[in-house]
Amino acid sequence: MKAIGFKTSLNIEERESFIEFEAVKPVPGAHDLLVKIDAISVNPVDFKIRQSSAKDTVLETPKIIGWDAGGIV
């Protein structure tokens, strides 16, 4: 599946501050729903996570961002 995320905490003006990448499609458990996402938004919590969770480092696996989403169940 396509995902949006980051590998390092860069200034938002930087081209690589958000990257598109392929991630493994999640498998829903017994009490889960799988939603086909049509749109996401980046909220203040996403901003704070991106700003501080990979400061002065480069993550091996990109961290997904944009947890406010809308789509089809």
Side-chain angles (χ1 to χ4, degrees):
M1 70 174 199
K2 287 185 182 178
I4 299 295
F6 63 96
K7 291 182 87 171
T8 188
S9 298
L10 298 171
N11 289 329
I12 196 65
E13 296 85 15
E14 298 289 329
R15 184 178 183 97
E16 297 292 315
S17 61
F18 291 112
I19 58 172
E20 182 179 343
F21 62 97
E22 287 293 321
V24 176
K25 183 179 176 180
V27 177
H31 299 284
D32 296 330
L33 293 173
L34 186 60
V35 178
K36 181 180 184 278
I37 302 299
D38 290 325
I40 66 165
S41 68
V42 177
N43 64 35
V45 173
D46 293 314
F47 169 78
K48 289 176 184 176
I49 290 170
R50 190 197 62 80
Q51 186 178 34
S52 62
S53 66
K55 200 170 200 164
D56 302 323
T57 189
V58 176
L59 303 173
E60 204 167 300
T61 304
K63 186 170 187 71
I64 295 175
I65 199 164
W67 291 101
D68 290 339
I72 301 169
V73 175

Short mmCIF file of all heavy atoms in Angstrom, two decimals:
data_model
loop_
_atom_site.label_atom_id
_atom_site.label_comp_id
_atom_site.label_asym_id
_atom_site.label_seq_id
_atom_site.Cartn_x
_atom_site.Cartn_y
_atom_site.Cartn_z
N MET A 1 0.84 -1.18 0.00
CA MET A 1 0.00 0.00 0.00
C MET A 1 0.88 1.23 0.00
O MET A 1 2.01 1.19 0.45
CB MET A 1 -0.92 0.00 1.21
CG MET A 1 -0.22 0.23 2.53
SD MET A 1 -1.38 0.36 3.87
CE MET A 1 -0.35 1.16 5.07
N LYS A 2 0.37 2.33 -0.52
CA LYS A 2 1.10 3.59 -0.48
C LYS A 2 0.92 4.23 0.89
O LYS A 2 -0.14 4.14 1.50
CB LYS A 2 0.57 4.56 -1.54
CG LYS A 2 0.97 4.18 -2.93
CD LYS A 2 0.52 5.23 -3.90
CE LYS A 2 0.88 4.81 -5.31
NZ LYS A 2 0.43 5.79 -6.29
N ALA A 3 1.98 4.88 1.36
CA ALA A 3 1.93 5.57 2.65
C ALA A 3 2.74 6.86 2.55
O ALA A 3 3.60 7.00 1.69
CB ALA A 3 2.49 4.68 3.74
N ILE A 4 2.46 7.77 3.47
CA ILE A 4 3.20 9.02 3.59
C ILE A 4 3.86 9.01 4.95
O ILE A 4 3.25 8.65 5.95
CB ILE A 4 2.27 10.25 3.47
CG1 ILE A 4 1.57 10.28 2.12
CG2 ILE A 4 3.03 11.54 3.72
CD1 ILE A 4 2.46 10.47 0.93
N GLY A 5 5.12 9.40 4.97
CA GLY A 5 5.83 9.40 6.25
C GLY A 5 7.13 10.17 6.15
O GLY A 5 7.30 11.02 5.29
N PHE A 6 8.05 9.80 7.04
CA PHE A 6 9.35 10.47 7.09
C PHE A 6 10.38 9.51 7.66
O PHE A 6 10.03 8.54 8.32
CB PHE A 6 9.28 11.74 7.95
CG PHE A 6 8.93 11.47 9.38
CD1 PHE A 6 9.92 11.35 10.34
CD2 PHE A 6 7.61 11.33 9.77
CE1 PHE A 6 9.61 11.09 11.67
CE2 PHE A 6 7.28 11.07 11.09
CZ PHE A 6 8.28 10.96 12.04
N LYS A 7 11.64 9.78 7.35
CA LYS A 7 12.74 8.98 7.89
C LYS A 7 13.63 9.78 8.82
O LYS A 7 14.40 9.21 9.57
CB LYS A 7 13.57 8.39 6.75
CG LYS A 7 12.83 7.32 5.97
CD LYS A 7 13.68 6.72 4.91
CE LYS A 7 14.47 5.58 5.51
NZ LYS A 7 15.19 4.79 4.51
N THR A 8 13.51 11.10 8.76
CA THR A 8 14.27 11.97 9.65
C THR A 8 13.48 13.26 9.88
O THR A 8 12.63 13.62 9.07
CB THR A 8 15.68 12.27 9.08
OG1 THR A 8 16.45 12.96 10.05
CG2 THR A 8 15.63 13.05 7.79
N SER A 9 13.73 13.91 11.00
CA SER A 9 13.00 15.13 11.35
C SER A 9 13.67 16.34 10.71
O SER A 9 14.58 16.94 11.26
CB SER A 9 12.98 15.29 12.87
OG SER A 9 12.30 14.22 13.48
N LEU A 10 13.19 16.66 9.52
CA LEU A 10 13.72 17.81 8.77
C LEU A 10 12.79 19.01 8.91
O LEU A 10 11.62 18.86 9.27
CB LEU A 10 13.84 17.46 7.28
CG LEU A 10 14.77 16.32 6.92
CD1 LEU A 10 14.61 15.96 5.45
CD2 LEU A 10 16.21 16.68 7.23
N ASN A 11 13.29 20.20 8.56
CA ASN A 11 12.42 21.37 8.48
C ASN A 11 11.36 21.10 7.42
O ASN A 11 11.63 20.45 6.40
CB ASN A 11 13.22 22.62 8.11
CG ASN A 11 14.11 23.07 9.23
OD1 ASN A 11 13.78 22.89 10.40
ND2 ASN A 11 15.24 23.66 8.89
N ILE A 12 10.17 21.61 7.62
CA ILE A 12 9.06 21.35 6.71
C ILE A 12 9.33 21.84 5.29
O ILE A 12 8.78 21.33 4.33
CB ILE A 12 7.74 21.94 7.27
CG1 ILE A 12 6.52 21.35 6.56
CG2 ILE A 12 7.75 23.45 7.20
CD1 ILE A 12 6.32 19.89 6.78
N GLU A 13 10.23 22.81 5.14
CA GLU A 13 10.56 23.33 3.82
C GLU A 13 11.40 22.35 2.99
O GLU A 13 11.49 22.49 1.77
CB GLU A 13 11.33 24.66 3.93
CG GLU A 13 10.55 25.80 4.54
CD GLU A 13 10.60 25.80 6.06
OE1 GLU A 13 11.45 25.10 6.64
OE2 GLU A 13 9.78 26.49 6.67
N GLU A 14 12.02 21.39 3.63
CA GLU A 14 12.87 20.43 2.94
C GLU A 14 12.05 19.47 2.09
O GLU A 14 10.98 19.02 2.51
CB GLU A 14 13.70 19.62 3.95
CG GLU A 14 14.65 20.44 4.78
CD GLU A 14 15.81 20.96 3.99
OE1 GLU A 14 16.24 20.29 3.03
OE2 GLU A 14 16.31 22.04 4.36
N ARG A 15 12.54 19.13 0.93
CA ARG A 15 11.84 18.25 -0.01
C ARG A 15 11.56 16.86 0.60
O ARG A 15 10.53 16.26 0.36
CB ARG A 15 12.66 18.11 -1.28
CG ARG A 15 12.00 17.29 -2.35
CD ARG A 15 12.87 17.25 -3.62
NE ARG A 15 12.20 16.53 -4.65
CZ ARG A 15 11.50 17.10 -5.63
NH1 ARG A 15 11.40 18.40 -5.69
NH2 ARG A 15 10.90 16.37 -6.54
N GLU A 16 12.47 16.35 1.40
CA GLU A 16 12.33 15.01 2.00
C GLU A 16 11.67 15.03 3.37
O GLU A 16 11.72 14.03 4.08
CB GLU A 16 13.71 14.36 2.09
CG GLU A 16 14.36 14.11 0.75
CD GLU A 16 13.64 13.04 -0.06
OE1 GLU A 16 13.30 12.00 0.51
OE2 GLU A 16 13.44 13.26 -1.27
N SER A 17 11.03 16.15 3.76
CA SER A 17 10.39 16.19 5.08
C SER A 17 9.20 15.23 5.13
O SER A 17 8.88 14.71 6.19
CB SER A 17 9.96 17.61 5.45
OG SER A 17 9.03 18.11 4.53
N PHE A 18 8.56 14.97 3.99
CA PHE A 18 7.55 13.92 3.83
C PHE A 18 7.94 13.10 2.61
O PHE A 18 8.34 13.65 1.60
CB PHE A 18 6.15 14.49 3.60
CG PHE A 18 5.57 15.19 4.80
CD1 PHE A 18 5.37 16.56 4.78
CD2 PHE A 18 5.21 14.48 5.93
CE1 PHE A 18 4.84 17.21 5.87
CE2 PHE A 18 4.67 15.13 7.02
CZ PHE A 18 4.48 16.50 6.99
N ILE A 19 7.79 11.78 2.72
CA ILE A 19 8.09 10.92 1.58
C ILE A 19 6.94 9.95 1.34
O ILE A 19 6.22 9.58 2.28
CB ILE A 19 9.40 10.13 1.78
CG1 ILE A 19 9.35 9.28 3.05
CG2 ILE A 19 10.59 11.06 1.79
CD1 ILE A 19 10.52 8.33 3.22
N GLU A 20 6.74 9.57 0.10
CA GLU A 20 5.77 8.53 -0.25
C GLU A 20 6.55 7.23 -0.38
O GLU A 20 7.62 7.19 -0.98
CB GLU A 20 5.09 8.87 -1.58
CG GLU A 20 4.04 7.86 -1.99
CD GLU A 20 3.36 8.23 -3.31
OE1 GLU A 20 3.45 9.39 -3.74
OE2 GLU A 20 2.74 7.34 -3.89
N PHE A 21 6.00 6.15 0.18
CA PHE A 21 6.69 4.87 0.12
C PHE A 21 5.66 3.74 0.17
O PHE A 21 4.48 3.97 0.45
CB PHE A 21 7.70 4.73 1.28
CG PHE A 21 7.08 4.78 2.64
CD1 PHE A 21 6.79 3.60 3.32
CD2 PHE A 21 6.80 5.98 3.25
CE1 PHE A 21 6.21 3.64 4.57
CE2 PHE A 21 6.23 6.03 4.50
CZ PHE A 21 5.94 4.86 5.17
N GLU A 22 6.10 2.54 -0.13
CA GLU A 22 5.25 1.36 -0.08
C GLU A 22 5.40 0.71 1.30
O GLU A 22 6.50 0.54 1.80
CB GLU A 22 5.64 0.35 -1.15
CG GLU A 22 5.24 0.77 -2.55
CD GLU A 22 3.73 0.78 -2.77
OE1 GLU A 22 3.03 -0.12 -2.26
OE2 GLU A 22 3.26 1.70 -3.47
N ALA A 23 4.27 0.38 1.91
CA ALA A 23 4.25 -0.30 3.21
C ALA A 23 3.41 -1.57 3.09
O ALA A 23 2.60 -1.72 2.16
CB ALA A 23 3.65 0.62 4.27
N VAL A 24 3.61 -2.47 4.00
CA VAL A 24 2.85 -3.72 4.01
C VAL A 24 1.39 -3.41 4.36
O VAL A 24 1.11 -2.66 5.30
CB VAL A 24 3.45 -4.70 5.05
CG1 VAL A 24 2.61 -5.95 5.14
CG2 VAL A 24 4.88 -5.03 4.70
N LYS A 25 0.47 -3.97 3.59
CA LYS A 25 -0.95 -3.77 3.84
C LYS A 25 -1.32 -4.47 5.15
O LYS A 25 -1.03 -5.65 5.33
CB LYS A 25 -1.77 -4.35 2.69
CG LYS A 25 -3.26 -4.14 2.82
CD LYS A 25 -3.99 -4.71 1.61
CE LYS A 25 -5.47 -4.63 1.73
NZ LYS A 25 -6.16 -5.19 0.57
N PRO A 26 -1.94 -3.75 6.10
CA PRO A 26 -2.28 -4.37 7.37
C PRO A 26 -3.36 -5.45 7.22
O PRO A 26 -4.21 -5.38 6.33
CB PRO A 26 -2.80 -3.21 8.22
CG PRO A 26 -2.98 -2.06 7.32
CD PRO A 26 -2.31 -2.35 6.02
N VAL A 27 -3.30 -6.44 8.10
CA VAL A 27 -4.30 -7.51 8.13
C VAL A 27 -5.16 -7.28 9.37
O VAL A 27 -4.64 -7.27 10.49
CB VAL A 27 -3.62 -8.89 8.20
CG1 VAL A 27 -4.66 -9.99 8.31
CG2 VAL A 27 -2.74 -9.10 6.99
N PRO A 28 -6.47 -7.06 9.19
CA PRO A 28 -7.32 -6.79 10.36
C PRO A 28 -7.47 -8.02 11.24
O PRO A 28 -7.54 -9.15 10.76
CB PRO A 28 -8.65 -6.37 9.74
CG PRO A 28 -8.65 -6.93 8.36
CD PRO A 28 -7.21 -7.02 7.94
N GLY A 29 -7.51 -7.77 12.54
CA GLY A 29 -7.76 -8.83 13.51
C GLY A 29 -9.25 -9.02 13.72
O GLY A 29 -10.08 -8.46 13.00
N ALA A 30 -9.60 -9.80 14.74
CA ALA A 30 -11.00 -10.15 15.01
C ALA A 30 -11.89 -8.94 15.29
O ALA A 30 -13.07 -8.95 14.95
CB ALA A 30 -11.06 -11.12 16.18
N HIS A 31 -11.36 -7.90 15.89
CA HIS A 31 -12.17 -6.73 16.25
C HIS A 31 -11.71 -5.48 15.52
O HIS A 31 -11.87 -4.37 16.02
CB HIS A 31 -12.11 -6.51 17.77
CG HIS A 31 -12.64 -7.66 18.55
ND1 HIS A 31 -14.00 -7.91 18.67
CD2 HIS A 31 -12.02 -8.65 19.21
CE1 HIS A 31 -14.17 -8.99 19.40
NE2 HIS A 31 -12.98 -9.47 19.73
N ASP A 32 -11.14 -5.63 14.33
CA ASP A 32 -10.61 -4.52 13.55
C ASP A 32 -11.39 -4.34 12.25
O ASP A 32 -12.07 -5.26 11.79
CB ASP A 32 -9.14 -4.76 13.18
CG ASP A 32 -8.24 -4.82 14.39
OD1 ASP A 32 -8.55 -4.16 15.39
OD2 ASP A 32 -7.21 -5.52 14.32
N LEU A 33 -11.26 -3.16 11.67
CA LEU A 33 -11.79 -2.86 10.34
C LEU A 33 -10.63 -2.47 9.45
O LEU A 33 -9.70 -1.81 9.90
CB LEU A 33 -12.77 -1.68 10.39
CG LEU A 33 -14.08 -1.89 11.13
CD1 LEU A 33 -14.82 -0.56 11.22
CD2 LEU A 33 -14.93 -2.92 10.43
N LEU A 34 -10.70 -2.83 8.19
CA LEU A 34 -9.73 -2.37 7.20
C LEU A 34 -10.42 -1.29 6.38
O LEU A 34 -11.50 -1.52 5.82
CB LEU A 34 -9.27 -3.53 6.31
CG LEU A 34 -8.15 -3.20 5.33
CD1 LEU A 34 -6.90 -2.75 6.07
CD2 LEU A 34 -7.83 -4.42 4.49
N VAL A 35 -9.84 -0.11 6.35
CA VAL A 35 -10.45 1.04 5.68
C VAL A 35 -9.59 1.42 4.48
O VAL A 35 -8.37 1.57 4.60
CB VAL A 35 -10.56 2.24 6.65
CG1 VAL A 35 -11.15 3.45 5.94
CG2 VAL A 35 -11.38 1.88 7.87
N LYS A 36 -10.23 1.56 3.30
CA LYS A 36 -9.53 2.07 2.12
C LYS A 36 -9.54 3.60 2.24
O LYS A 36 -10.57 4.24 2.16
CB LYS A 36 -10.24 1.65 0.84
CG LYS A 36 -9.54 2.15 -0.41
CD LYS A 36 -10.28 1.70 -1.66
CE LYS A 36 -9.53 2.10 -2.89
NZ LYS A 36 -9.77 3.48 -3.30
N ILE A 37 -8.36 4.16 2.48
CA ILE A 37 -8.24 5.59 2.76
C ILE A 37 -8.34 6.39 1.47
O ILE A 37 -7.66 6.10 0.49
CB ILE A 37 -6.90 5.89 3.47
CG1 ILE A 37 -6.78 5.08 4.76
CG2 ILE A 37 -6.74 7.37 3.72
CD1 ILE A 37 -7.85 5.37 5.79
N ASP A 38 -9.20 7.41 1.49
CA ASP A 38 -9.34 8.33 0.36
C ASP A 38 -8.61 9.64 0.60
O ASP A 38 -8.18 10.29 -0.35
CB ASP A 38 -10.82 8.63 0.09
CG ASP A 38 -11.56 7.43 -0.47
OD1 ASP A 38 -10.95 6.66 -1.24
OD2 ASP A 38 -12.75 7.26 -0.14
N ALA A 39 -8.49 10.06 1.87
CA ALA A 39 -7.85 11.33 2.18
C ALA A 39 -7.30 11.30 3.61
O ALA A 39 -7.84 10.61 4.46
CB ALA A 39 -8.85 12.48 2.04
N ILE A 40 -6.21 12.02 3.82
CA ILE A 40 -5.64 12.17 5.16
C ILE A 40 -5.39 13.64 5.44
O ILE A 40 -5.39 14.47 4.51
CB ILE A 40 -4.31 11.40 5.34
CG1 ILE A 40 -3.22 11.98 4.44
CG2 ILE A 40 -4.50 9.93 5.11
CD1 ILE A 40 -1.83 11.52 4.80
N SER A 41 -5.20 13.95 6.69
CA SER A 41 -4.74 15.29 7.06
C SER A 41 -3.64 15.13 8.10
O SER A 41 -3.55 14.12 8.78
CB SER A 41 -5.88 16.14 7.61
OG SER A 41 -6.31 15.62 8.86
N VAL A 42 -2.79 16.11 8.17
CA VAL A 42 -1.72 16.13 9.16
C VAL A 42 -2.13 17.13 10.23
O VAL A 42 -2.36 18.30 9.94
CB VAL A 42 -0.38 16.52 8.50
CG1 VAL A 42 0.72 16.61 9.54
CG2 VAL A 42 -0.01 15.50 7.42
N ASN A 43 -2.26 16.64 11.46
CA ASN A 43 -2.72 17.50 12.55
C ASN A 43 -1.54 17.90 13.44
O ASN A 43 -0.41 17.47 13.21
CB ASN A 43 -3.83 16.80 13.34
CG ASN A 43 -3.36 15.54 14.03
OD1 ASN A 43 -2.22 15.46 14.50
ND2 ASN A 43 -4.21 14.55 14.13
N PRO A 44 -1.77 18.72 14.48
CA PRO A 44 -0.67 19.15 15.35
C PRO A 44 0.09 18.00 16.01
O PRO A 44 1.31 18.10 16.20
CB PRO A 44 -1.36 20.03 16.39
CG PRO A 44 -2.54 20.59 15.67
CD PRO A 44 -3.01 19.45 14.79
N VAL A 45 -0.58 16.92 16.36
CA VAL A 45 0.13 15.78 16.96
C VAL A 45 1.09 15.16 15.94
O VAL A 45 2.23 14.84 16.27
CB VAL A 45 -0.87 14.73 17.48
CG1 VAL A 45 -0.16 13.47 17.93
CG2 VAL A 45 -1.72 15.30 18.60
N ASP A 46 0.65 14.99 14.69
CA ASP A 46 1.53 14.48 13.63
C ASP A 46 2.75 15.39 13.47
O ASP A 46 3.87 14.92 13.32
CB ASP A 46 0.80 14.41 12.28
CG ASP A 46 -0.31 13.39 12.26
OD1 ASP A 46 -0.08 12.26 12.72
OD2 ASP A 46 -1.40 13.72 11.78
N PHE A 47 2.52 16.69 13.51
CA PHE A 47 3.61 17.65 13.38
C PHE A 47 4.65 17.46 14.49
O PHE A 47 5.85 17.39 14.25
CB PHE A 47 3.07 19.09 13.41
CG PHE A 47 4.13 20.13 13.54
CD1 PHE A 47 4.90 20.50 12.45
CD2 PHE A 47 4.39 20.72 14.77
CE1 PHE A 47 5.90 21.45 12.57
CE2 PHE A 47 5.38 21.67 14.89
CZ PHE A 47 6.14 22.04 13.80
N LYS A 48 4.17 17.32 15.72
CA LYS A 48 5.08 17.15 16.86
C LYS A 48 5.84 15.84 16.79
O LYS A 48 7.02 15.77 17.10
CB LYS A 48 4.30 17.26 18.17
CG LYS A 48 3.83 18.67 18.43
CD LYS A 48 2.99 18.75 19.68
CE LYS A 48 2.45 20.18 19.83
NZ LYS A 48 1.57 20.31 20.95
N ILE A 49 5.16 14.77 16.33
CA ILE A 49 5.83 13.48 16.18
C ILE A 49 6.92 13.59 15.11
O ILE A 49 8.04 13.15 15.31
CB ILE A 49 4.82 12.37 15.83
CG1 ILE A 49 3.94 12.08 17.04
CG2 ILE A 49 5.52 11.11 15.34
CD1 ILE A 49 2.76 11.19 16.75
N ARG A 50 6.58 14.18 13.97
CA ARG A 50 7.57 14.32 12.89
C ARG A 50 8.73 15.20 13.31
O ARG A 50 9.88 14.94 12.98
CB ARG A 50 6.91 14.92 11.64
CG ARG A 50 7.81 14.86 10.41
CD ARG A 50 7.34 15.78 9.32
NE ARG A 50 7.35 17.16 9.71
CZ ARG A 50 8.44 17.94 9.74
NH1 ARG A 50 9.61 17.47 9.40
NH2 ARG A 50 8.36 19.20 10.11
N GLN A 51 8.46 16.21 14.10
CA GLN A 51 9.48 17.15 14.51
C GLN A 51 10.49 16.54 15.49
O GLN A 51 11.65 16.90 15.46
CB GLN A 51 8.80 18.36 15.16
CG GLN A 51 9.72 19.49 15.51
CD GLN A 51 8.95 20.65 16.11
OE1 GLN A 51 7.95 20.46 16.80
NE2 GLN A 51 9.39 21.85 15.82
N SER A 52 10.05 15.58 16.31
CA SER A 52 10.93 15.14 17.39
C SER A 52 11.30 13.66 17.39
O SER A 52 12.29 13.28 18.01
CB SER A 52 10.30 15.49 18.74
OG SER A 52 9.07 14.81 18.89
N SER A 53 10.57 12.80 16.71
CA SER A 53 10.83 11.36 16.86
C SER A 53 12.03 10.84 16.08
O SER A 53 12.50 9.74 16.34
CB SER A 53 9.59 10.54 16.51
OG SER A 53 9.27 10.68 15.16
N ALA A 54 12.54 11.60 15.12
CA ALA A 54 13.72 11.16 14.37
C ALA A 54 14.74 12.30 14.29
O ALA A 54 15.40 12.48 13.28
CB ALA A 54 13.32 10.69 12.99
N LYS A 55 14.85 13.05 15.37
CA LYS A 55 15.78 14.17 15.41
C LYS A 55 17.21 13.64 15.46
O LYS A 55 17.52 12.75 16.24
CB LYS A 55 15.49 15.03 16.63
CG LYS A 55 16.02 16.42 16.54
CD LYS A 55 15.48 17.25 17.66
CE LYS A 55 15.62 18.70 17.28
NZ LYS A 55 14.83 19.56 18.10
N ASP A 56 18.06 14.17 14.61
CA ASP A 56 19.48 13.80 14.57
C ASP A 56 19.72 12.33 14.25
O ASP A 56 20.73 11.75 14.64
CB ASP A 56 20.18 14.16 15.89
CG ASP A 56 20.07 15.64 16.21
OD1 ASP A 56 20.15 16.45 15.26
OD2 ASP A 56 19.92 15.99 17.39
N THR A 57 18.78 11.70 13.55
CA THR A 57 18.93 10.31 13.14
C THR A 57 18.14 10.07 11.86
O THR A 57 17.28 10.87 11.50
CB THR A 57 18.48 9.33 14.24
OG1 THR A 57 18.85 8.01 13.86
CG2 THR A 57 16.99 9.39 14.48
N VAL A 58 18.43 8.98 11.18
CA VAL A 58 17.66 8.56 10.01
C VAL A 58 17.10 7.18 10.31
O VAL A 58 17.85 6.25 10.60
CB VAL A 58 18.55 8.51 8.73
CG1 VAL A 58 17.75 7.98 7.56
CG2 VAL A 58 19.11 9.88 8.43
N LEU A 59 15.78 7.06 10.29
CA LEU A 59 15.12 5.79 10.58
C LEU A 59 15.35 4.81 9.44
O LEU A 59 15.34 5.20 8.27
CB LEU A 59 13.63 6.00 10.80
CG LEU A 59 13.23 6.99 11.89
CD1 LEU A 59 11.72 7.22 11.86
CD2 LEU A 59 13.67 6.48 13.25
N GLU A 60 15.53 3.55 9.76
CA GLU A 60 15.69 2.53 8.73
C GLU A 60 14.39 2.32 7.96
O GLU A 60 14.38 2.18 6.74
CB GLU A 60 16.12 1.22 9.39
CG GLU A 60 16.86 0.31 8.45
CD GLU A 60 17.55 -0.81 9.18
OE1 GLU A 60 18.40 -0.52 10.04
OE2 GLU A 60 17.21 -1.97 8.89
N THR A 61 13.28 2.30 8.69
CA THR A 61 11.95 2.15 8.10
C THR A 61 11.19 3.46 8.30
O THR A 61 11.15 3.97 9.42
CB THR A 61 11.17 1.01 8.79
OG1 THR A 61 11.93 -0.18 8.71
CG2 THR A 61 9.81 0.81 8.15
N PRO A 62 10.59 4.02 7.26
CA PRO A 62 9.86 5.28 7.43
C PRO A 62 8.72 5.15 8.44
O PRO A 62 8.11 4.10 8.56
CB PRO A 62 9.30 5.56 6.03
CG PRO A 62 10.10 4.76 5.10
CD PRO A 62 10.55 3.55 5.86
N LYS A 63 8.46 6.23 9.14
CA LYS A 63 7.37 6.29 10.10
C LYS A 63 6.16 6.90 9.40
O LYS A 63 6.26 7.97 8.81
CB LYS A 63 7.79 7.14 11.30
CG LYS A 63 6.80 7.16 12.43
CD LYS A 63 7.44 7.82 13.64
CE LYS A 63 6.57 7.74 14.86
NZ LYS A 63 6.48 6.41 15.42
N ILE A 64 5.03 6.21 9.45
CA ILE A 64 3.80 6.69 8.82
C ILE A 64 3.23 7.85 9.61
O ILE A 64 3.25 7.86 10.83
CB ILE A 64 2.76 5.55 8.69
CG1 ILE A 64 3.27 4.47 7.75
CG2 ILE A 64 1.42 6.10 8.21
CD1 ILE A 64 2.39 3.25 7.66
N ILE A 65 2.72 8.84 8.88
CA ILE A 65 2.13 10.02 9.49
C ILE A 65 0.79 10.31 8.82
O ILE A 65 0.53 9.83 7.72
CB ILE A 65 3.11 11.22 9.34
CG1 ILE A 65 2.77 12.30 10.34
CG2 ILE A 65 3.13 11.75 7.95
CD1 ILE A 65 3.88 13.29 10.52
N GLY A 66 -0.08 11.04 9.49
CA GLY A 66 -1.38 11.39 8.94
C GLY A 66 -2.46 10.45 9.43
O GLY A 66 -3.09 9.75 8.64
N TRP A 67 -2.67 10.42 10.74
CA TRP A 67 -3.62 9.45 11.32
C TRP A 67 -5.06 9.91 11.23
O TRP A 67 -5.97 9.11 11.46
CB TRP A 67 -3.21 9.16 12.77
CG TRP A 67 -1.94 8.39 12.81
CD1 TRP A 67 -0.68 8.88 13.06
CD2 TRP A 67 -1.77 7.01 12.52
NE1 TRP A 67 0.25 7.89 12.96
CE2 TRP A 67 -0.39 6.71 12.64
CE3 TRP A 67 -2.62 5.98 12.19
CZ2 TRP A 67 0.14 5.45 12.44
CZ3 TRP A 67 -2.09 4.71 11.99
CH2 TRP A 67 -0.73 4.46 12.11
N ASP A 68 -5.34 11.16 10.93
CA ASP A 68 -6.71 11.61 10.69
C ASP A 68 -7.02 11.27 9.24
O ASP A 68 -6.43 11.82 8.32
CB ASP A 68 -6.84 13.12 10.90
CG ASP A 68 -6.70 13.51 12.37
OD1 ASP A 68 -6.90 12.63 13.22
OD2 ASP A 68 -6.40 14.68 12.64
N ALA A 69 -7.94 10.34 9.04
CA ALA A 69 -8.19 9.84 7.69
C ALA A 69 -9.68 9.60 7.46
O ALA A 69 -10.45 9.42 8.40
CB ALA A 69 -7.42 8.53 7.47
N GLY A 70 -10.05 9.60 6.20
CA GLY A 70 -11.41 9.28 5.81
C GLY A 70 -11.36 8.31 4.63
O GLY A 70 -10.48 8.39 3.79
N GLY A 71 -12.30 7.36 4.62
CA GLY A 71 -12.30 6.38 3.53
C GLY A 71 -13.50 5.47 3.59
O GLY A 71 -14.52 5.79 4.20
N ILE A 72 -13.37 4.30 2.97
CA ILE A 72 -14.46 3.33 2.83
C ILE A 72 -14.11 2.06 3.58
O ILE A 72 -13.02 1.52 3.43
CB ILE A 72 -14.67 2.99 1.34
CG1 ILE A 72 -15.02 4.27 0.56
CG2 ILE A 72 -15.75 1.93 1.17
CD1 ILE A 72 -14.98 4.10 -0.93
N VAL A 73 -15.04 1.61 4.42
CA VAL A 73 -14.86 0.36 5.15
C VAL A 73 -15.13 -0.80 4.23
O VAL A 73 -16.07 -0.81 3.47
CB VAL A 73 -15.82 0.28 6.37
CG1 VAL A 73 -15.71 -1.06 7.07
CG2 VAL A 73 -15.51 1.42 7.34
#
